[in-house]
């Protein structure tokens, strides 16, 4: 219902809730929510935390461009704590991939990998996004990246720490199937289905 309300006919996602104009290219004009123009590090950090917390919304409701816009806006000053910055960069890369910008995605995950105190969840997500960004142009390296991302996600402590595992398994399964590795593909997709059923994740289960 939220997705439907936030995506009116003739408009872009997010316009209905904020009444925010867009420029001739369809991108946000820069009229940010209250406080977003404040240069204080604390406000930028809180903005980044909020944008990262909305990851499921950006990803599942199709708001890839808008989510990336806000993430990149709050990442500009580079002063966010390492774990948060790495998560923001990984998510921005994920959204870039879904928007068809593989070079942008690879640049974002490369920067995320360079954050020295990034946490394991951010590194797992970056590895998955790296594979996802490569899969169309270099299927072999892409599948290897997806496999590494899945392995890192599996090693995280509990479902709350590995929110991307089920979807990573779906993409890994599709990549393996395309490469003729049907048995491994079926195993990955079966694991994803079991995770979705256990977590009540109907969106990924539909894949």
């Amino acid at each position: 219902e939220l997705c439907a309300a936030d995506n009116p006919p003739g408009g872009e996602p997010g316009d209905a809730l904020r009444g925010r104009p867009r420029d001739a290219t369809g991108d946000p004009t820069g009229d940010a929510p209250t406080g977003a123009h404040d240069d204080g590090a604390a406000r930028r950090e809180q903005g980044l935390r909020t944008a990262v917390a909305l990851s499921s919304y950006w990803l599942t409701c199709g708001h890839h461009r808008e989510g990336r816009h806000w993430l990149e806006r709050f990442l500009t000053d580079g002063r966010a704590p390492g774990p948060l910055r790495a998560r923001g960069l990984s998510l921005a890369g994920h959204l870039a991939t879904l928007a068809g910008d593989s070079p942008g995605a690879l640049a974002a995950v490369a920067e995320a990998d360079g954050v020295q105190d990034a946490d394991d969840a951010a590194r797992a997500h970056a590895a998955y996004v790296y594979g996802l960004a490569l899969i169309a142009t270099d299927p072999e390296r892409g599948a290897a990246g997806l496999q590494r991302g899945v392995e890192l996600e599996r090693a995280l402590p509990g479902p709350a720490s590995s929110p991307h595992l089920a979807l990573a398994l779906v993409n890994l399964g599709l990549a393996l199937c395309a490469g003729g590795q049907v048995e491994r593909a079926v195993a990955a997709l079966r694991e994803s289905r079991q995770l979705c059923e256990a977590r009540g994740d109907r969106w990924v289960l539909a894949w």
Side-chain angles (χ1 to χ4, degrees):
E1 293 176 355
L2 176 61
C3 293
D6 199 17
N7 195 7
E12 290 290 331
D15 292 346
L17 293 184
R18 281 177 298 282
R20 182 160 52 86
R22 307 180 83 87
D23 64 20
T25 67
D27 288 326
T29 62
D31 296 332
T34 302
H37 286 300
D38 193 311
D39 289 330
R43 285 192 178 275
R44 285 189 178 275
E45 180 181 332
Q46 184 55 51
L48 182 56
R49 288 188 187 280
T50 301
V52 169
L54 287 168
S55 62
S56 293
Y57 178 66
W58 307 131
L59 292 168
T60 63
C61 290
H63 299 344
H64 308 147
R65 185 170 57 186
E66 184 173 7
R68 184 183 179 188
H69 167 80
W70 290 118
L71 287 161
E72 291 179 347
R73 188 183 190 93
F74 292 123
L75 284 163
T76 53
D77 65 7
R79 290 180 287 177
L84 175 61
R85 181 170 179 77
R87 287 180 182 235
L89 286 164
S90 297
L91 179 56
H94 197 165
L95 293 169
T97 298
L98 296 177
D101 182 8
S102 294
L106 293 172
V109 297
E111 188 174 349
D113 281 339
V115 177
Q116 293 185 350
D117 54 347
D119 59 18
D120 291 340
R123 295 195 186 284
H125 192 193
Y128 160 48
V129 174
Y130 174 80
L132 196 62
L134 284 177
I135 200 69
T137 58
D138 192 337
E140 186 174 344
R141 288 176 62 202
L146 290 171
Q147 182 66 58
R148 180 170 179 267
V150 164
E151 290 169 356
L152 291 174
E153 288 270 351
R154 283 182 181 140
L156 295 173
S161 301
S162 56
H164 306 288
L165 179 54
L167 188 55
L169 283 162
V170 169
N171 283 291
L172 175 60
L174 294 174
L176 291 170
C177 188
Q181 301 183 58
V182 178
E183 290 186 5
R184 290 183 61 201
V186 169
L189 294 170
R190 183 179 292 119
E191 182 181 351
S192 179
R193 184 181 66 187
Q194 291 170 346
L195 277 172
C196 290
E197 291 172 347
R199 299 178 181 183
D201 189 340
R202 292 181 295 172
W203 182 75
V204 177
L205 184 60
W207 285 86

